[in-house]
Amino acid sequence: MHSVGAPLAPGQKDVPWPCNKEKYIVHFPETREIWSYGSGYGGNALLGKKCFGLRIASNIARDEGWMAEHMLILGVENPSGEKTYVAAAFPSACGKTNFAMLIPPKGFEGWKVWTVGDDIAWIRPDERGLLRAINPEAGFFGVAPGTSVKTNRNAMATLSKNSIFTNVALTPDGGVWWEGMTDEPPAECLDWKGQKWTPAIAKETGAKAAHPNARFTAPASQCPTIDPAWEDPSGVPISAIIFGGRRATTMPLVFQAFNWSSGVYIGATMGSETTAAAAGAVGTVRRDPMAMLPFCGYHMGDYFRHWIKMQRSLTLTPRIFHVNWFRKDADGKFMWPGFAENMRVLKWIVDRTKGRALAQETPVGWMPRYEDMEWSGMELSKEKFEELQKFDREAWRREVIEHEELFIGLHDHLPKEMVYERELLICRL
Ligand code: GDP
Ligand code: MN
């Protein structure tokens, strides 16, 4: 049940963003009901998405032995036509939509990335014991600012028609605009509040044309890279699960978990620096287990146990990885170009699942050496790569102390595996 809680009295004029001062987004797992009142924000109004697809579905999944996860699903096709599917959980505004629609960079001619979903995965073991995933959504609900032909050409093509926009700027020719869409801003537009906006006004007042969390809602079928199997009810087989967040320090570009339970630990303890889509101060690390903190419909400790148990019904266990596109250097600049170049990390991940790529053991997991990565078409020195991958013992000491803080909050439901994994990590440190 959804209402913005703003009925119009006879003759009353409507407003562009009807809502109520009081907002209640309430979930009843026992009856699988959602009551959403007072808010028209997509996250609260598109009830099939986070509310049902994750919060209620995670309860159904626990009861029925499957998983409802905050994950994108993509397929990697190499030049010989071999296809490998992976699922990745990143917190909101950490790059799921961009990663799901990745266009391979220079040096990866003949490679293709197929999009199955960009936000939610429902995953279950099939009769052969393989994990298979479906995307339960019909479309994409993405952050607009920063989306451009340069950063995500597929998203731009997807939203070119039949799309709904919220809190973007309107251009005089009837189009939309947001920060980062083009290098040149429009000479004039209406900002997200309906006020006149020009580059000169922006310079003077700092006003943004679009809200930082402005969104587009577009049909997935319009995505140029939509996977032929994206609506297959039996889903696609998942070879790897990737966790990741926005971390300026500590977390390397990529590492692989030793096994399923250390992988569950990595997912359980993942963190991200807060951004506009999440509450809290911008720039502090917030623990967000499996990117599910705002979306898990029951106790996180029981959810970790459900993850541990899921592996028992599998004949082939997906490999688990952690990535960080957002590590910064001493000057505060991103050390990794990200976007299309993330393909290089993806290739190493796929090759690891196939037993084709080497790695080096470190206290936190398996890491690629410089020579284990594909560098054709990109310049990155061995020194730069080693900085990106650097394991900083002092930083990891602080990291495990923060893990303990998370665990104290979950103590009465925390599976023993998590406690033992933390002890082992401390021993290796
Ligand atoms: P989602 O909310 O998880 O789907 O995240 P999006 O894909 O919408 O991206 C959120 C923000 O992160 C956008 O501003 C993107 O431009 C930015 N972003 C996405 N991928 C990368 C990357 O690889 N590197 C960097 N530096 N930024 C990225
Ligand atoms: Mn997204």
Side-chain angles (χ1 to χ4, degrees):
M1 178 69 75
H2 175 249
S3 168
V4 291
L8 288 173
Q12 190 184 341
K13 209 168 155 275
D14 206 353
V15 294
W17 190 270
C19 62
N20 196 294
K21 265 203 215 75
E22 290 190 59
K23 296 171 175 66
Y24 301 96
I25 320 300
V26 191
H27 304 72
F28 299 90
E30 301 81 1
T31 52
R32 322 297 200 203
E33 274 173 281
I34 305 150
W35 287 72
S36 169
Y37 176 84
S39 167
Y41 171 62
N44 302 329
L46 302 170
L47 300 192
K49 197 173 174 64
K50 310 292 191 188
C51 298
F52 181 72
L54 291 175
R55 296 194 188 101
I56 296 294
S58 60
N59 277 275
I60 303 174
R62 175 202 49 199
D63 295 350
E64 297 180 353
W66 51 280
M67 307 161 89
E69 300 299 329
H70 190 198
M71 291 180 181
L72 66 95
I73 310 163
L74 64 81
V76 183
E77 189 180 332
N78 72 13
S80 40
E82 176 196 78
K83 211 160 170 186
T84 310
Y85 290 96
V86 309
F90 308 157
S92 299
C94 291
K96 284 184 302 302
T97 299
N98 275 272
F99 195 45
M101 299 181 189
L102 187 150
I103 295 170
K106 220 171 98 206
F108 278 79
E109 289 72 24
W111 289 75
K112 199 154 165 66
V113 170
W114 296 93
T115 310
V116 178
D118 81 324
D119 198 46
I120 301 179
W122 286 357
I123 309 174
R124 69 173 175 88
D126 66 11
E127 27 334 294
R128 289 158 58 217
L130 300 182
L131 267 193
R132 303 188 77 89
I134 64 157
N135 165 16
E137 300 192 88
F140 303 129
F141 176 58
V143 177
T147 306
S148 71
V149 176
K150 270 196 209 144
T151 60
N152 192 342
R153 174 148 43 92
N154 286 321
M156 292 301 280
T158 308
L159 58 78
S160 63
K161 57 185 179 186
N162 305 319
S163 297
I164 301 169
F165 299 92
T166 48
N167 293 336
V168 297
L170 296 175
T171 57
D173 60 359
V176 295
W177 190 80
W178 48 74
E179 276 71 17
M181 183 204 262
T182 51
D183 290 338
E184 268 303 296
E188 185 184 332
C189 61
L190 288 180
D191 71 12
W192 65 282
K193 292 176 174 166
Q195 310 287 317
K196 181 178 159 172
W197 184 97
T198 65
I201 292 175
K203 213 169 183 182
E204 203 184 298
T205 66
K208 295 262 187 265
H211 186 281
N213 198 21
R215 297 277 177 153
F216 60 83
T217 310
S221 57
Q222 290 178 184
C223 180
T225 54
I226 197 76
D227 191 83
W230 87 281
E231 291 183 299
D232 185 340
S234 56
V236 297
I238 297 298
S239 299
I241 291 173
I242 306 170
F243 295 116
R246 203 176 261 274
R247 296 294 302 271
T249 66
T250 319
M251 302 309 270
L253 178 64
V254 59
F255 64 96
Q256 180 185 357
F258 294 116
N259 52 37
W260 182 264
S261 81
S262 73
V264 173
Y265 180 88
I266 288 164
T269 55
M270 70 190 244
S272 194
E273 273 132 36
T274 42
T275 60
V282 170
T284 57
V285 177
R286 181 173 105 124
R287 297 292 141 187
D288 187 357
M290 281 87 171
M292 282 289 277
L293 192 63
F295 308 118
C296 185
Y298 59 98
H299 195 289
M300 254 321 162
D302 295 329
Y303 170 75
F304 298 161
R305 179 166 288 109
H306 184 62
W307 261 84
I308 294 283
K309 274 195 195 156
M310 281 305 299
Q311 193 256 340
R312 292 180 197 156
S313 52
L314 303 180
T315 53
L316 193 69
T317 304
R319 304 290 191 264
I320 300 182
F321 298 82
H322 188 281
V323 299
N324 177 25
W325 313 142
F326 302 95
R327 199 168 192 173
K328 288 183 176 167
D329 62 18
D331 303 326
K333 285 224 181 70
F334 288 124
M335 298 166 75
W336 178 248
F339 301 100
E341 305 300 347
N342 295 337
M343 182 71 214
R344 298 172 197 280
V345 174
L346 191 51
K347 178 181 185 290
W348 181 76
I349 288 173
V350 167
D351 285 345
R352 287 295 290 169
T353 71
K354 301 281 198 269
R356 289 193 294 246
L358 290 178
Q360 181 178 16
E361 187 179 326
T362 76
V364 294
W366 296 98
M367 286 191 197
R369 297 157 308 167
Y370 184 71
E371 56 270 32
D372 299 321
M373 301 272 294
E374 178 60 64
W375 296 113
S376 62
M378 179 184 172
E379 297 279 335
L380 190 89
S381 66
K382 189 159 190 259
E383 292 67 42
K384 280 245 166 81
F385 180 72
E386 280 166 2
E387 268 306 295
L388 253 172
Q389 284 295 96
K390 191 173 160 203
F391 161 72
D392 176 344
R393 201 171 295 272
E394 273 312 304
W396 273 92
R397 282 174 68 105
R398 287 193 298 276
E399 186 74 13
V400 289
I401 290 166
E402 289 183 27
H403 296 175
E404 179 65 6
E405 262 170 34
L406 169 79
F407 286 175
I408 287 170
L410 302 172
H411 177 259
D412 53 343
H413 291 246
L414 193 70
K416 282 203 283 292
E417 286 86 343
M418 295 298 98
V419 178
Y420 295 149
E421 285 294 345
R422 181 171 177 274
E423 287 298 320
L424 285 171
L425 174 56
I426 292 169
C427 294
R428 293 192 301 265
L429 293 182

